[in-house]
Amino acid sequence: MSDSNPKAAAIPLTRNPFHCKESRIPIEGAFTREEVQLALRQVEMPLEALRYDTTPVGLHYTLNHFDIPALEASCYRLTVSGRVRRPLSLAIDDLLRFPQVTQRVTLECAGNGRGLMTPRYPSMPWMYGAIGTAEWTGVRLRDVLAEAELLPDAVELSFYGADRGFDNGVEHPYGRSLKPELALSEDVLIAFAMNGAPLSAQHGWPLRLVVPGWYGMASVKWLVRIEAIDRPFDGYQQVVGYHYRNSADDPGVPVTSLRVKSLMVPPGIPDWYTGTRIVDRDAMLVSGRAWSGNGVPVVRVEVAVDEDWYEASVEPPSFRFAWQAWRFKWHPVPGEHELLCRATDASGATQPLAPHWNWNGMGNNACQRVRVFVR
Amino acid sequence: MSDSNPKAAAIPLTRNPFHCKESRIPIEGAFTREEVQLALRQVEMPLEALRYDTTPVGLHYTLNHFDIPALEASCYRLTVSGRVRRPLSLAIDDLLRFPQVTQRVTLECAGNGRGLMTPRYPSMPWMYGAIGTAEWTGVRLRDVLAEAELLPDAVELSFYGADRGFDNGVEHPYGRSLKPELALSEDVLIAFAMNGAPLSAQHGWPLRLVVPGWYGMASVKWLVRIEAIDRPFDGYQQVVGYHYRNSADDPGVPVTSLRVKSLMVPPGIPDWYTGTRIVDRDAMLVSGRAWSGNGVPVVRVEVAVDEDWYEASVEPPSFRFAWQAWRFKWHPVPGEHELLCRATDASGATQPLAPHWNWNGMGNNACQRVRVFVR
């Protein structure tokens, strides 16, 4: 952490047009009312839902910065403008005329695990469950951009949702950008369906971006405007939000693709208030899911019982951008134990035992820890 | 609050077979990690969803005490046993042969607003949104009980879910009971669909009880067993949980029907972290919903702007057990304001300005307060 007084330090990003000061600094210990309010508005996937190959819609995590907008199908238009030869204004039905594709994609919030960091940036206090996997159906972004014909000086594509609000004193619509290389890949979708049904309001009805392999902030919901621009995008959520920073005045590194990670279904049954798990001593399968970013497969999952590590069996990847199932046969011994799981991907990246701390609490892929009491 | 040391006080309910001590006492100020973990597993209806007459499934509140159980349609049976002439074991298809009815019902968690009480019982720290309204389709409980033929000595019906866990050191399946008068009314459903679709896992698939006019704890999810009994039900959630108590050693009064309440859609746009609302100064409609318990209609809603009260217009009830819409035309004046809303029902019951405090934080129907900044 910085030695300077972080309360007074502006983020001196040369690209930050807001010159806004960090109004919040990381804290320790008990949680604020504001953190709880955020936790009540968003939802974690309950970890027993790791049992589903694809997460049912009401169980998939949501992170919505602002209110869910009230949109009407008849008035809805997605515009494509800026550095394009043919600006577009597309009704929902216009979008549906492009070739349709379905992809199974695991999405995770970049702030997942923030609540497990110490000190902890005061924001959405995720523990483990800001995760979900769905079958997204949509059209390829590149097909829509091909119709609009990008001009040669388009260096970024910016994407705006219909949601709007304030953060750090700055009013803005939710907006993010992608470089043309990624935007023109075959993977990025403008999705209109999730698990075979129209998008629900909280997942971006009627249209949203889905950027496989990246943290969820890139997958802009309630997508109403795509603008091709001839300069780097300077929206708040691009240049202030979603950076790995070591201190308030560190320009930081943008958050992009998912870090390798695994989660387990907590075994046994819970205690309501503490979440402690109570397990019978019969041999049992401990199971979970593992994933990494950019379509890199997971090649290994290990499980630790009280610091002794064992190999779990991992299913080979069936979908480039979706989690893989893993399982481990455990012979519980009575007493209190801590279970951990750790994934390693094909690039050799593996999960740390403790979080890689950063100012805003981004990309925490430390091993999950589950306290169990075997009776 | 009691003068005795509540940490040491057992709940001396004569009907409490657990003799379990209250392991938690109300606290003030910042929130515990356990409270945040609970808030992440459950979900509030975001208040902008008051705009929908019926709440889309992923936005309806959930309060699940234990893990969502893994059930299979082919193995699933609902048994009806105990003080009945003809015990039943019903597959899902057997249930569907009874006459089907659909009812629009507003459900609210009994703990809604707990997080707004001071001191606050350490449990699920709801603020305002533990609410939702759905079209529930199912069969009448009384039709199923008629087929089983209650014996004359059946004084209660007990209902068990497939979910199981610990609370206060006591292992139990989630279970609740109803008196025959209510169980045999035409209003109580065994529901298999919500808003026209099969129940989602988190709302009780494949079958759940829906008890209109009561707080949500009565509407047992993942219903697997109904037992007619010749004595008062002594399940944990009936005799320890869900009571209005003044202290840890107060036997208390069971929580039953919904208290009169209203909520508003917070006007304007939010600040991400604080939730403060920023409003333009144009005249606008402030709108919301209001409801009461036991099918009693709401007859009046008032809105306060900085302690000056105004009449809102309230829609007459279209459904006995569902919320009613209300609206109020507001002419915002620049500056900071606090908005409140207050409902009164046909029995004359009205919302208090401050919570009626009780030990476990039940039934908080105090007026919603929304801080707005008009620019």
Side-chain angles (χ1 to χ4, degrees), chain A residues 5-13 16 19-22 248-250:
Chain A
N5 176 357
K7 268 193 178 156
I11 300 175
L13 292 174
N16 172 1
H19 307 294
C20 64
K21 295 182 187 246
E22 270 286 353
D249 51 5
D250 176 4

Side-chain angles (χ1 to χ4, degrees), chain A residues 137-161:
Chain A
T137 301
V139 305
R140 290 193 181 90
L141 173 61
R142 73 171 178 189
D143 291 346
V144 174
L145 295 178
E147 178 145 322
E149 293 182 38
L150 290 185
L151 292 171
D153 61 353
V155 300
E156 283 195 17
L157 283 305
S158 59
F159 304 89
Y160 295 92

Side-chain angles (χ1 to χ4, degrees), chain A residues 42-46 55-64 106-112 124 126 128-133 136 194 202-203 208 214-219 221 242 258:
Chain A
Q42 317 299 335
V43 62
E44 284 199 353
M45 187 191 80
T55 311
V57 61
L59 296 180
H60 193 292
Y61 94 91
T62 59
L63 188 289
N64 296 323
T106 296
L107 288 179
E108 181 182 12
C109 183
N112 198 17
M124 176 63 206
W126 294 122
Y128 291 110
I131 186 75
T133 296
W136 298 99
M194 184 183 185
Q202 69 269 33
H203 285 289
R208 66 173 293 172
W214 278 46
Y215 282 110
M217 76 280 154
S219 295
K221 296 177 179 177
Y242 295 107
L258 295 164

Side-chain angles (χ1 to χ4, degrees), chain A residues 207-353:
Chain A
L207 298 174
R208 66 173 293 172
L209 219 53
V210 173
V211 184
W214 278 46
Y215 282 110
M217 76 280 154
S219 295
V220 177
K221 296 177 179 177
W222 311 295
L223 185 66
V224 290
R225 180 153 75 101
I226 301 176
E227 195 184 356
I229 52 181
D230 58 6
R231 63 200 181 280
F233 180 58
D234 61 6
Y236 179 92
Q237 300 291 346
Q238 191 76 24
V239 300
V240 184
Y242 295 107
H243 278 68
Y244 294 110
R245 292 198 177 88
N246 294 313
S247 64
D249 51 5
D250 176 4
V253 175
V255 174
T256 58
S257 57
L258 295 164
R259 289 173 165 176
V260 62
K261 196 161 176 179
S262 58
L263 289 173
M264 78 178 86
V265 178
I269 58 174
D271 174 58
W272 157 251
Y273 183 62
T274 62
T276 302
R277 309 295 300 192
I278 295 89
V279 176
D280 292 326
R281 61 178 298 183
D282 314 314
M284 59 178 302
L285 280 180
V286 177
S287 64
R289 307 277 173 171
W291 64 92
S292 191
N294 287 334
V296 177
V298 168
V299 294
R300 184 182 193 193
V301 173
E302 300 153 282
V303 172
V305 182
D306 302 327
E307 301 183 358
D308 292 327
W309 288 90
Y310 305 91
E311 291 291 323
S313 65
V314 193
E315 272 185 15
S318 306
F319 302 89
R320 257 186 87 205
F321 295 108
W323 58 26
Q324 297 161 242
W326 61 263
R327 56 184 56 80
F328 166 70
K329 190 162 189 180
W330 181 36
H331 299 273
V333 175
E336 245 187 285
H337 305 282
E338 189 179 54
L339 302 186
L340 284 76
C341 54
R342 176 168 66 189
T344 302
D345 73 18
S347 80
T350 192
Q351 295 181 250
L353 290 175

Side-chain angles (χ1 to χ4, degrees), chain A residues 69 135 163 179 187 230 248 261 331 362 365 370:
Chain A
E135 302 271 359
D163 48 332
K179 301 273 187 225
D187 301 322
D230 58 6
K261 196 161 176 179
H331 299 273
M362 295 286 159
N365 68 334
V370 180

